[in-house]
Amino acid sequence: MLDLDAFAPETRRLIAASATAGIYALFCAGIAVREALRAAAVRREAKVLSQGAGEPVLVAFASQTGFAEELANATAKALSEAGAPVTLRELSAVTAADLTGSALFVVSTTGEGDAPDPARAFIRDVMKDGVALPGLRYGVLALGDSTYAEYCAFGRSLDAWLAHSGASPLFDRVEVDDGDPSALRHWQGQLSLLTGVTDAPDWSRPAYGRWTLAERTLLNPGSPGGEAWHIRLVPPSGDATTWQAGDILEVGPRNDPELPHREYSIASLPSDGAVELIVRLMNRADGQPGLGSGWLCRLAEVGQTIDARVRTNRGFHAPDASRPLILIGSGTGLAGLRAHLKARATAGVRWNWLVFGERTSAHDYFHRTEIEGWKASGLLDRVDLAFSRDQESRIYVQHRLRAAADILRRWVANGAAIYVCGSLEGMSRDVHAVLVEVLGAEMVERLTDEGRYRRDVY
């Protein structure tokens, strides 16, 4: 074994720097290989889908958390197996010239009626113009959640725009409320009418695994806000489930006969041995705990099994490791940001900036020791904290961001990616407004198109 003590201090520093550079190079090479393999798999899949002797069909999707993409893939596969040549494409890559023949759109709505971030380019470049589409026959699968006032708003607006542009509907718009299986079966029925294949099995979401609730720790005792809990879930023994920063855990609560699933940003890496979450205990109008948060934070016992599964969320996966990374969030939104920081720490990738907000520093500084350790080690080049109740005037993350406007512009000019995680109403909207104010609307659109501005918001 090499005895570093035998070398002069300067030599030891050079050896350490060389070792770090070597590890970083291996990490980057690993990412490049993984991405090359993924790209090759995508090309192979596209080639398989494009084969067939029937009428070509475009399947376009706009997804915020990955569910619309899942359904678009299932739709494309069903059409391909029925003999139709299929082009599967993200909506941002669809041009007006593509809108002829037959097209199926699978689109989600995020928050109070917003389009998913990847749809912005299509809205800006295609929907804004007076495009005439008399040669297009289309169908729309609109995903939404009826607990929001603007239910399925983007799917509805897309449907209306297509009709106004002269396109002909293949069938009435299908709306899916929180993954409603009956609505999905209806969509499958419409596909059966298009393809003539009537014996295809019903779609079902991949089966939940039996995870174990291994730990539950209150993160903010004494907080003036709602309880926030650190939840640790261990996968089933022998389960090969893996994930990466940005992915989501779907949980099936058992405290309601309907068991609609709930989604949580994952705050850990597979190397941690478990999925870790930061969950806010929510209360319904009648005072009872929320469905998912009540199950995880109150009703389920530590040691009990939890129905759960990991879902890939490509829209919030890490940027290229060479990019600086600006992470912005508040409250439980720290979960998704924490996973990215843990990944950057593992790879030894620096040039990271965290902007985090909560109520009070004394009670609501989630994972304080960890964050301050990252700051001391140099993993975090900059940390801006906004504890809104610690002074007379309320200070939020958008205020910290505006105060650092010159630094923000410099980071973006140096290629930084901006990742936002947390509440859509309030935090995310206000942060977006400051980004537009500081960087300009054109730059924010460019960052979105390049995948350098991403959001995991709810």
Side-chain angles (χ1 to χ4, degrees):
M1 179 180 292
L2 185 66
D3 183 7
L4 293 178
D5 291 336
F7 296 93
E10 182 62 29
T11 303
R12 290 202 299 271
R13 283 194 293 271
L14 288 173
I15 293 173
S18 298
T20 300
I23 293 171
Y24 178 66
L26 288 173
F27 173 74
C28 292
I31 290 177
V33 170
R34 183 189 67 197
E35 290 303 307
L37 291 173
R38 189 184 71 81
V42 169
R43 288 193 295 271
R44 287 194 300 271
E45 183 180 354
K47 184 177 180 180
V48 170
L49 290 175
S50 66
Q51 297 171 353
E55 180 186 4
V57 182
L58 168 68
V59 177
F61 64 91
S63 184
Q64 187 71 31
T65 64
F67 187 33
E69 183 177 358
E70 278 189 15
L71 295 179
N73 275 283
T75 298
K77 183 178 179 182
L79 294 169
S80 177
E81 290 175 348
V86 179
T87 298
L88 178 64
R89 189 169 292 170
E90 194 164 29
L91 190 61
S92 61
V94 174
T95 67
D98 297 319
L99 301 179
T100 185
S102 296
L104 298 176
F105 299 87
V106 183
V107 300
S108 64
T109 293
T110 182
E112 290 293 353
D114 291 334
D117 291 338
R120 291 182 179 179
F122 183 83
I123 295 169
R124 182 191 66 231
D125 299 335
V126 181
M127 290 181 69
K128 71 168 185 175
D129 296 325
V131 179
L133 303 173
L136 178 67
R137 300 177 303 281
Y138 74 93
V140 174
L141 180 66
L143 310 181
D145 185 335
S146 60
T147 61
Y148 289 90
E150 299 296 329
Y151 171 57
C152 286
F154 179 59
R156 292 175 177 179
S157 65
L158 175 62
D159 186 23
W161 175 80
L162 289 164
H164 180 74
S165 300
S168 303
L170 292 163
F171 43 80
D172 289 343
R173 179 182 67 248
V174 177
E175 297 184 347
V176 181
D177 185 4
D178 196 23
D180 176 21
S182 63
L184 294 177
R185 285 194 294 271
H186 179 54
W187 175 256
Q188 281 187 270
Q190 300 293 353
L191 296 182
S192 296
L193 293 175
L194 290 178
T195 62
V197 177
T198 59
D199 59 351
D202 284 345
W203 292 347
S204 60
R205 306 198 70 152
Y208 289 126
R210 305 298 297 277
W211 296 57
T212 301
L213 177 57
E215 179 184 330
R216 179 166 59 206
T217 305
L218 182 62
L219 292 173
N220 61 344
S223 170
E227 296 175 5
W229 292 82
H230 178 86
I231 305 291
R232 182 176 172 86
L233 298 168
V234 177
S237 177
D239 192 301
T241 297
T242 189
W243 63 91
Q244 59 182 292
D247 286 343
I248 286 170
L249 188 76
E250 292 182 354
V251 173
R254 294 189 195 166
N255 50 326
D256 189 293
E258 299 296 328
L259 292 179
H261 77 278
R262 292 294 182 263
E263 301 179 348
Y264 300 95
S265 301
I266 296 176
S268 59
L269 301 178
S271 57
D272 295 312
V275 158
E276 297 177 5
L277 312 173
I278 302 176
V279 180
R280 179 87 65 189
L281 178 62
M282 305 300 292
N283 290 307
R284 295 184 280 195
D286 61 2
Q288 295 300 308
L291 185 63
S293 64
W295 177 236
L296 291 172
C297 301
R298 280 281 189 271
L299 300 176
E301 299 288 342
V302 173
Q304 186 172 347
T305 56
I306 302 289
D307 293 334
R309 78 160 183 125
V310 170
R311 195 185 76 239
T312 299
N313 180 20
R314 288 194 308 112
F316 206 63
H317 280 178
D320 184 275
S322 63
R323 285 197 183 280
L325 185 57
I326 304 170
L327 298 163
I328 306 168
S330 62
T332 59
L334 181 64
L337 309 183
R338 180 178 184 249
H340 280 293
L341 282 171
K342 289 172 79 70
R344 305 272 282 194
T346 298
V349 180
R350 302 194 174 191
W351 208 354
N352 305 299
W353 176 6
L354 175 66
V355 185
F356 172 67
E358 243 295 340
R359 288 174 174 81
T360 68
S361 175
H363 303 286
D364 302 289
Y365 192 166
F366 306 155
H367 296 290
R368 178 177 196 148
T369 301
E370 189 173 52
I371 292 172
E372 292 184 349
W374 284 332
K375 174 65 175 175
S377 71
L379 173 74
L380 278 168
D381 292 86
R382 184 180 178 96
V383 177
D384 285 280
L385 302 171
F387 293 106
S388 59
R389 308 304 199 269
D390 279 359
Q391 58 283 310
E392 185 175 346
S393 59
R394 298 292 169 87
I395 295 178
Y396 299 105
V397 290
Q398 62 268 22
H399 300 134
R400 297 300 191 203
L401 205 58
R402 181 183 288 115
D406 290 341
I407 297 170
L408 174 62
R409 283 188 284 263
R410 186 161 65 247
W411 276 58
V412 170
N414 284 320
I418 302 172
Y419 279 43
V420 180
C421 190
S423 170
L424 175 65
E425 297 303 321
M427 186 279 295
S428 177
R429 291 186 188 278
D430 292 339
V431 164
H432 182 82
V434 169
L435 292 176
V436 170
E437 172 190 324
V438 173
L439 302 175
E442 185 176 342
M443 175 57 77
V444 172
E445 289 290 343
R446 177 182 162 190
L447 294 175
T448 301
D449 291 346
E450 294 176 356
R452 290 170 57 195
Y453 175 34
R454 301 187 177 217
R455 302 187 302 167
D456 177 12
V457 294
Y458 37 86

